[in-house]
Amino acid sequence: MTIVRAHDFLSWRNESRRLLAADVSPADVHWAGANETLFGGEQATEAKIGSVASVPKEFLRLAQTAALHRDDDRWNVLYRVLYRLTHSEPSLLKVGIDDDVRRLELMNQAVSRDMHKMTAFVRFRRMENSDPECMVAWYSPDHHVVKAIAPWFSRRFGGVRWSILTPDECAHWDLEKLTFTPGVPRSAAPASDDMEHLWKDYYASIFNPARVKVKAMKAEMPVRHWATLPEAEIIPNLLAKANVRVIEMAKNQKSSAAEFVPRTNDLQQLRAAASVCRGCELYARATHVVFGEGRPDAKVVMVGEQPGDEEDLKGHPFVGPAGRLLDKAMLEAGLDREQVYVTNAVKHFKWIERGKRRIHAKPSGIEISSCRPWLEAELASIQPELVVCLGATAAQSLMGRDFRVTTERGIFFPHRWAKQLVATIHPSAILRMPDRRDEEYALFVHDLKLIAAKVRELEAASRRLS
Amino acid sequence: MDVQAKLRILADAAKYDASCASSGSKRARVEGGIGNTTGVGICHSYTPDGRCVSLLKLLLTNYCIYDCSYCVNRISSDTPRARFTPEEVAFLTVEFYKRNYIEGLFLSSGIIQSPDYTMEQMARVASLLRTEHKFGGYVHLKAVPGASEELMLQAGRFADRLSANIELARDNDLAQLAPAKSHGAIEKSMQQIAHGILEAKDKTMRSGKAPQFAPAGQSTQFIVGATNATDADLLGKSSALYRRYGLRRAYYSAFSPIPHADPALPLKKIPLVREHRLYQADWLMRFYGFTAEELTTVVDRNLALDKDPKLAWALRHREFYPVDVNKAGRAALRRVPGFGVRTVTRILQIRRYRALSLGDLGKLKCAVNRAKFFVVTSDHNPSALQIDGVKLPERVVPQVRQLSLFEAAETARSGEL
């Protein structure tokens, strides 16, 4: 039994050439790789033995990679394959189901994967106060791949100075050439970086808490690498909060009337279905659903905010103080109340308790959007010529959150649910401004007159069409 | 609003684009600059949902003037809004890249002001990256349909990949759900991109060196399940797009109902397995020699959910089997359920030296349990005798189980069936 030592590909090749020249069978050789260190063995030089045998290029490629594997048995496997290739089985590598070839391939795969993972998982930190900028990473590869993969980093990050520190050896780039030094402990690398909080934020925002697949993540990003990945620090936290976030998401998701809206254009059926709506939490404290009222073929639909105290008790829209003010203003502006369908953006009364009174509370964005399917179903059924939004809630429900009633009132917009849409203030706003009541009321009537004129114009247009 | 707050909103809003590929482009680093692309994409991280993080995926803004019913960023939605400046996006990209967090940038955007204005802003990010930061990493820009050809060409000079999303398989669905969009305008953008790519290739052929144009090609994305379009519609459309504009990839994204959705949209989430089957079918069309028409039948215009489309085809065409692994050609071997493209290549290589037995197939890491019913091997293979049996489907179809989102994403990435 011959005992030979190898510590890298070149030394293995030199020894193998010697053994092959003497025709030593793999069974009679033991390759010792123990107590090898990368810098302990002397650097091998090309042996002065001429070519002893030719092997496929493919083998050299495989062998060079497999030589970086941490398994000491690699030299034995390599020599066995080499011996078989040069003796009776020149096509051995083509038979992927041979045990030795398979072993070689597995080692080759493990090393390639390790190199690939290194390109993925190295995380640079900027050296504090470095000028010019210097980036430093600490990493712990599975195999002896630092030298082999360092050129990849200099190609990509050639414009910056960097060092990659590992326990085995370190690579350094000074903008011109790569140098290698012995391994160092982790404490040699910077402990933090000022971009890491943004990176962690990004990582947290793209994680979908509804799909926790820890095993899949760990298969691709093994836990042994987590120590050097800044984002891995927040994984336990993300996982701990995932359940809570899912419950919150489900709550927000459930917050829509959509599933209660029947697929029909019949207003009576819609009204009946609305009475049991649980699309948001408001139903719990309200007396009635206050659905829209008016002719199913109305040319004008007026949309308010939400029912008030009186509306809630009676179950009809615009029957309280604001409704009475609206009736009065419409009369003055020459709008026929009988021809108009009135409804609200939110169909339940939202209130807070003040002593014995129920005080109106503004519906939230989620409540408005949860209720919108009802409003849209009403509009889809009636197909009005004109939609009049009374107040910001209605306007924003139909025109988006950027809509401002103060600057855009009285302007007619084309809209998907009607030929035209226009917004003005809500009559209850006038009631809440006692010192400016008369001016605001006049402005409101002015807007309604514009609307009355537009209604006549639209009617004339549709008469011409028919 | 600071960059951190914007990042949270605009990263969250960007996750509806399925594409995360960073492969297929080769770009050397410029002198004194940072970044290159090597043709191989790298997944730099994985989130706890099992998905890979390769690109910094952002929207430039989630403000949008369009009102596409299926989209959370439609004008009528009340999602929180933010807008990055081009400089902020370039800064984040370069700083993340320098720390080796990412392969590059995937930038999309809501439509602000006009398609031209939006495209110009996005092209500006790419131009900042390439010229001011000398950035050589991967850049994927969303092409805004309706933007001028000039802007599209400008974007293509800086980007590695451009993609115009086709959104829905049928034009009349688009007219209904996304009135501002049409197949006409979207395909016009695809045509412009395809033209730019061809022209750059042509110039390179003639002069040896020419400015690159979207070297990683173009891709597109379908939303699946927002309308009653069938899988046959989807596959027909994607195969036409592959053919017409030389697309590299089509992505299929399952429609998930958004809060306060349009009443015209379905309320139910589509089964994720449908998305998965579409990716499988797409892969069969591109690498396995199947045509779109073969994958569905006249009777059933949708792919079967309980078995993969290749197996479904095999069970409909029993006369095609068994295939002799030691004699059959590449095309026939690719039609064996359980054999992938690489398995077939290895079989062809190995059988020159020795005949393959059933046990050998086991060592090739292919799905022998499925394949064994459809092949003849050098040894006795009793399973192949069942090929005409009525019980074959239940023997070969694996136990039904819930398919997860991760598997669909994995299929999107690897295409392994």
Side-chain angles (χ1 to χ4, degrees):
Chain A
M1 174 71 75
T2 321
I3 294 180
V4 274
R5 283 185 189 283
H7 61 270
D8 63 7
F9 176 72
L10 274 183
S11 59
W12 171 83
R13 187 165 75 171
N14 288 342
E15 292 297 330
S16 301
R17 279 177 167 167
R18 209 166 48 75
L19 294 169
L20 267 191
D23 201 21
V24 181
S25 150
D28 301 328
V29 193
H30 178 73
W31 290 83
N35 70 31
E36 65 176 7
T37 55
L38 271 156
F39 290 86
E42 57 199 276
Q43 198 70 27
T45 46
E46 193 83 24
K48 295 268 180 295
I49 306 171
S51 164
V52 281
S54 65
V55 288
K57 260 195 188 141
E58 173 67 5
F59 174 70
L60 281 180
R61 197 187 59 77
L62 274 173
Q64 270 170 334
T65 314
L68 304 175
H69 202 280
R70 236 179 246 281
D71 184 351
D72 285 342
D73 201 29
R74 66 195 184 278
W75 309 121
N76 291 312
V77 178
L78 279 172
Y79 186 67
R80 235 174 7 245
V81 174
L82 174 66
Y83 191 87
R84 289 175 64 192
L85 275 171
T86 52
H87 282 75
S88 52
E89 301 165 272
S91 310
L92 178 63
L93 292 183
K94 301 262 166 48
V95 188
I97 40 195
D98 178 88
D99 285 342
D100 279 340
V101 174
R102 204 148 159 67
R103 187 98 192 269
L104 190 56
E105 277 178 355
L106 285 177
M107 283 200 272
N108 180 65
Q109 271 168 24
V111 171
S112 301
R113 181 178 151 95
D114 193 37
M115 288 205 267
H116 180 78
K117 289 296 179 195
M118 187 160 167
T119 64
F121 296 152
V122 158
R123 296 284 184 269
F124 286 108
R125 283 172 166 166
R126 183 221 273 266
M127 281 286 272
E128 242 179 286
N129 307 321
S130 59
D131 185 34
E133 189 169 59
C134 183
M135 310 299 287
V136 180
W138 200 87
Y139 187 75
S140 182
D142 294 343
H143 303 289
H144 304 294
V145 296
V146 174
K147 272 205 185 81
I149 201 65
W152 184 92
F153 285 95
S154 53
R155 281 194 296 276
R156 175 161 287 195
F157 301 107
V160 216
R161 277 162 226 278
W162 55 258
S163 293
I164 298 174
L165 315 179
T166 84
D168 299 319
E169 59 180 328
C170 304
H172 311 275
W173 173 254
D174 64 356
L175 302 184
E176 278 166 14
K177 59 181 190 313
L178 277 168
T179 47
F180 299 93
T181 56
V184 292
R186 179 168 194 176
S187 53
S192 64
D193 182 283
D194 51 5
M195 287 300 286
E196 281 178 6
H197 71 287
L198 286 175
W199 170 239
K200 287 180 197 165
D201 263 1
Y202 177 70
Y203 183 79
S205 346
I206 55 171
F207 161 55
N208 177 0
R211 305 273 158 192
V212 174
K213 288 269 168 188
V214 177
K215 221 174 116 192
M217 169 182 64
K218 287 181 176 170
E220 290 296 339
M221 195 165 79
V223 178
R224 61 180 182 279
H225 290 303
W226 287 17
T228 55
L229 296 167
E231 66 271 27
E233 272 173 41
I234 61 170
I235 291 174
N237 195 14
L238 287 179
L239 288 172
K241 286 193 186 148
N243 265 338
V244 180
R245 279 182 63 194
V246 170
I247 293 167
E248 266 170 31
M249 272 168 57
K251 247 196 222 156
N252 289 343
Q253 292 247 318
K254 225 167 59 188
S255 192
S256 169
E259 56 183 301
F260 297 94
V261 181
R263 297 257 168 141
T264 173
N265 272 338
D266 185 300
L267 273 179
Q268 284 314 319
Q269 283 183 34
L270 287 170
R271 187 190 314 273
S275 65
V276 294
C277 181
R278 301 280 186 274
C280 68
E281 298 302 313
L282 291 183
Y283 75 91
R285 299 178 72 216
T287 318
H288 284 110
V289 157
V290 181
F291 207 72
E293 285 181 2
R295 298 167 56 131
D297 59 347
K299 296 282 178 272
V300 181
V301 171
M302 283 195 170
V303 188
E305 184 189 59
Q306 62 164 345
D309 185 60
E310 263 188 74
E311 282 91 354
D312 175 65
L313 296 171
K314 294 181 179 155
H316 301 290
F318 288 101
V319 293
R324 287 190 286 276
L325 190 66
L326 177 65
D327 289 347
K328 179 166 169 253
M330 281 174 77
L331 195 70
E332 275 180 49
L335 271 167
D336 187 354
R337 176 76 146 88
E338 296 301 306
Q339 301 298 320
V340 174
Y341 182 92
V342 287
T343 186
N344 282 301
V346 174
K347 307 278 190 269
H348 276 118
F349 180 39
K350 182 177 181 182
W351 52 275
I352 45 171
E353 212 165 337
R354 214 34 89 60
K356 284 188 177 169
R357 292 174 59 204
R358 299 193 300 171
I359 304 289
H360 159 276
K362 194 176 155 35
S364 73
I366 288 175
E367 285 150 0
I368 296 166
S369 55
S370 303
C371 206
R372 183 162 49 218
W374 288 119
L375 178 57
E376 290 180 342
E378 284 175 291
L379 293 172
S381 159
I382 298 166
Q383 300 187 359
E385 305 260 331
L386 180 67
V387 172
V388 180
C389 296
L390 300 174
T393 300
Q396 289 177 4
S397 176
L398 290 171
M399 292 296 281
R401 296 214 307 176
D402 293 337
F403 193 88
R404 293 285 171 269
V405 171
T406 41
T407 54
E408 293 170 291
R409 68 188 280 181
I411 304 174
F412 291 86
F413 299 89
H415 198 265
R416 63 186 298 190
W417 297 113
K419 286 207 183 88
Q420 303 268 296
L421 178 144
V422 66
T424 180
I425 58 167
H426 196 279
S428 66
I430 302 170
L431 297 174
R432 278 191 232 116
M433 290 186 287
D435 45 334
R436 291 181 35 82
R437 187 175 288 186
D438 293 342
E439 291 122 281
E440 287 297 334
Y441 180 73
L443 283 172
F444 184 56
V445 173
H446 172 76
D447 281 350
L448 291 186
K449 280 182 178 159
L450 287 179
I451 290 161
K454 178 63 89 177
V455 172
R456 285 192 292 277
E457 184 189 311
L458 289 170
E459 274 175 352
S462 57
R463 263 203 303 278
R464 269 200 306 280
L465 269 176
S466 61
Chain B
M1 196 185 281
D2 65 356
V3 173
Q4 185 167 18
K6 291 181 189 178
L7 179 67
R8 285 182 186 158
I9 294 176
L10 294 170
D12 188 75
K15 62 184 171 201
Y16 297 92
D17 258 301
S19 165
C20 194
S22 56
S23 53
S25 181
K26 280 198 174 164
R27 191 185 286 272
R29 182 174 57 84
V30 291
E31 188 60 37
I34 184 166
N36 61 347
T37 52
T38 59
V40 189
I42 297 175
C43 294
H44 282 273
S45 194
Y46 290 82
T47 42
D49 50 20
R51 288 181 306 167
C52 117
V53 185
S54 180
L55 300 172
L56 172 62
K57 224 191 267 188
L58 294 177
L59 292 194
L60 187 58
T61 176
N62 63 345
Y63 287 100
C64 190
I65 56 171
Y66 287 173
D67 200 17
C68 309
S69 328
Y70 49 77
C71 178
V72 264
N73 296 321
R74 64 190 174 136
I75 188 169
S76 51
S77 151
D78 60 356
T79 182
R81 309 273 177 172
R83 180 179 173 181
F84 274 129
T85 64
E87 286 75 15
E88 286 166 338
V89 177
F91 164 80
L92 282 173
T93 309
V94 171
E95 292 302 320
F96 277 11
Y97 192 89
K98 219 186 263 174
R99 285 158 180 77
N100 205 35
Y101 299 161
I102 51 169
E103 284 295 284
L105 173 70
F106 179 122
L107 188 65
S108 180
S109 181
I111 310 299
I112 36 174
Q113 294 187 19
S114 67
D116 269 350
Y117 178 76
T118 311
M119 194 71 225
E120 193 243 303
Q121 289 284 303
M122 299 227 285
R124 170 142 175 75
V125 174
S127 138
L128 272 176
L129 281 171
R130 296 287 191 229
T131 51
E132 276 187 33
H133 295 282
K134 294 186 182 170
F135 178 71
Y138 193 90
V139 176
H140 180 161
L141 290 187
K142 191 106 295 199
V144 182
S148 73
E149 174 148 36
E150 193 190 329
L151 284 166
M152 209 64 89
L153 294 181
Q154 195 186 329
R157 276 195 288 278
F158 296 122
D160 292 281
R161 171 170 280 183
L162 289 171
S163 60
N165 283 0
I166 194 82
E167 313 285 20
L168 301 171
R170 297 181 308 203
D171 201 23
N172 49 351
D173 287 346
L174 208 53
Q176 219 163 34
L177 297 184
K181 293 180 179 169
S182 71
H183 275 183
I186 297 165
E187 289 194 41
K188 193 173 163 204
S189 297
M190 290 181 175
Q191 174 70 52
Q192 286 167 350
I193 298 165
H195 185 236
I197 293 171
L198 276 181
E199 195 150 290
K201 269 192 194 145
D202 191 45
K203 275 189 197 147
T204 315
M205 292 259 273
R206 274 187 280 131
S207 63
K209 195 140 177 73
Q212 281 191 314
F213 188 95
Q218 61 170 325
S219 60
T220 194
Q221 177 168 309
F222 288 89
I223 295 165
V224 182
T227 69
N228 60 1
T230 61
D231 292 343
D233 293 326
L234 281 154
L235 295 172
K237 187 73 195 173
S238 58
S239 112
L241 294 179
Y242 279 128
R243 208 171 45 238
R244 272 182 231 152
Y245 310 111
L247 296 192
R248 294 281 176 93
R249 282 294 302 271
Y251 290 90
Y252 305 90
S253 171
F255 169 75
S256 45
I258 42 184
H260 53 80
D262 192 295
L265 289 177
L267 302 170
K268 282 258 161 59
K269 237 175 132 123
I270 72 154
L272 280 166
V273 66
R274 182 169 173 207
E275 190 184 282
H276 180 65
R277 295 291 177 234
L278 280 164
Y279 278 118
Q280 292 180 318
D282 188 84
W283 225 265
L284 291 179
M285 296 196 302
R286 286 185 299 143
F287 303 112
Y288 289 77
F290 284 84
T291 61
E293 297 74 45
E294 280 182 293
L295 294 168
T296 52
T297 63
V298 185
V299 186
D300 190 354
R301 307 301 286 153
N302 285 308
L303 298 167
L305 294 182
D306 61 342
K307 45 185 161 308
D308 73 71
K310 194 205 256 184
L311 182 58
W313 185 87
L315 291 173
R316 287 197 301 271
H317 295 86
R318 311 255 188 115
E319 73 287 354
F320 186 82
Y321 304 93
V323 169
D324 187 339
V325 290
N326 290 306
K327 287 194 187 121
R330 193 183 289 269
L333 286 171
R334 282 184 179 171
R335 292 200 172 220
V336 174
F339 283 4
V341 169
R342 279 171 68 178
T343 311
V344 170
T345 304
R346 299 202 69 182
I347 289 174
L348 290 171
Q349 194 183 46
I350 292 167
R351 76 186 191 189
R352 286 161 65 191
Y353 304 94
R354 81 186 204 200
L356 285 121
S357 66
L358 204 57
D360 291 337
L361 293 182
K363 294 185 191 166
L364 287 175
K365 288 216 290 193
C366 63
V368 188
N369 279 339
R370 226 173 317 151
K372 67 182 178 192
F373 297 100
F374 301 94
V375 291
V376 171
T377 48
S378 65
D379 52 349
H380 177 56
N381 174 15
S383 306
L385 299 174
Q386 303 176 24
I387 188 66
D388 292 316
V390 282
K391 288 208 166 146
L392 181 63
E394 52 197 86
R395 292 222 164 87
V396 70
V397 175
Q399 287 282 302
V400 179
R401 70 195 163 92
Q402 179 70 41
L403 197 88
S404 74
L405 176 68
F406 166 69
E407 277 156 291
E410 178 62 20
T411 303
R413 195 179 65 76
S414 70
E416 291 292 326
L417 300 181

